[in-house]
Amino acid sequence: MIKFKTIVSAFLAIIQPKSEKLEVETYGLTDSEFSLEKTEEILGWLLKVLIKTGYIGKSYLVFDHGNEDWEDLILKAILREEPMFLYRLNKRPSPANIGCHWYLTEHPSLRLYQLHFEVD
């Protein structure tokens, strides 16, 4: 039943119109874990990178504790061809799905990763 729900939500995500403005959706962060200033610094850096690359649309920033299952969100990002980034709060990032990998970006914290997927 859960897989069916995932497939249906992924299909619904595909048919929704893509955003025509630059926006970043965040997941996994509570107020007590991170200061507002630190969160704004990370979001500001990410927005600068997206603007520099000319990207317009929705992207995702996940604050990760290292043990979450981001399968639904990863599938949505891949199917909609929207970039997904993960900020590691723990020692290791949560594993990505088969065929997907987290690659470290150039953020000074060395805790920010971008999702890449392999095409065979």
Side-chain angles (χ1 to χ4, degrees):
M1 185 66 176
I2 293 174
K3 286 290 182 190
F4 179 72
K5 180 183 168 200
T6 301
I7 292 169
V8 169
S9 65
F11 177 73
L12 292 174
I14 292 172
I15 62 174
Q16 290 177 346
K18 292 194 178 213
S19 178
E20 295 183 14
K21 61 182 180 177
L22 182 59
E23 53 184 306
V24 178
E25 261 185 38
T26 60
Y27 293 87
L29 188 63
T30 62
D31 294 338
S32 62
E33 293 173 307
F34 239 44
S35 70
L36 182 59
E37 294 81 22
K38 183 76 171 168
T39 305
E40 287 176 352
E41 181 266 321
I42 293 166
L43 282 169
W45 182 89
L46 184 55
L47 287 170
K48 285 179 192 174
V49 168
L50 292 171
I51 290 168
K52 187 177 178 181
T53 61
Y55 179 77
I56 299 296
K58 186 182 283 188
S59 60
Y60 306 92
L61 174 60
V62 174
F63 290 90
D64 180 65
H65 297 283
N67 57 358
E68 280 97 4
D69 178 11
W70 298 108
E71 182 177 312
D72 292 347
L73 188 58
I74 289 172
L75 182 60
K76 179 180 175 182
I78 289 172
L79 292 175
R80 292 183 54 86
E81 297 179 351
E82 296 169 332
M84 184 173 180
F85 300 88
L86 179 138
Y87 190 89
R88 176 177 47 89
L89 295 172
N90 212 338
K91 292 185 179 189
R92 295 181 175 209
S94 291
N97 298 44
I98 294 174
C100 300
H101 302 280
W102 296 115
Y103 285 98
L104 193 62
T105 64
E106 297 177 10
H107 190 265
S109 70
L110 299 179
R111 290 177 170 263
L112 191 63
Y113 300 81
Q114 183 172 6
L115 181 70
H116 289 261
F117 62 97
E118 297 175 351
V119 179
D120 292 332

